[in-house]
Amino acid sequence: MDRDEELLRGRVYGQDHDDPRPGPRPGRVYAELVGGPLDGLLFDVTDRTPEQRAAGVALETELGRYGAGGRSLYDPRPGDAGHFDWSGDTP
C-alpha cells in the first residue's frame, strides 16, 4: 500500500488530512466507498434524502483518472445502504 492509500484508510471523505479527529463522528451516518481511488473512505450521508442517496455521488478527487478537478462516481449498492460502489471517473 502506498503512502496516499495509507493516509485515506479509516478517514471520512472531505475531512482535512490534518484533522486531529479524522474518523467518523457520533450521531452521523456513513456509507463506505468501495473500489476506485477513494476505496475505504467513509462518506457522510446523514443529511442526504433517500432520493439523493439513490442518485449516487460524484466526489472530487485528485487521485482519480483525471487528476486535479476530476471526480469519482459512486453509486449505492442495491440492498446495502452502507456501501457505495465505484462506477468510474469523470473530468
Side-chain angles (χ1 to χ4, degrees), residues 41-42 48 87-88:
L41 285 179
L42 299 176
R48 298 177 78 76
S87 59

Side-chain angles (χ1 to χ4, degrees), residues 45-55:
V45 296
T46 306
D47 298 324
R48 298 177 78 76
T49 67
E51 293 79 20
Q52 289 171 322
R53 289 184 195 187

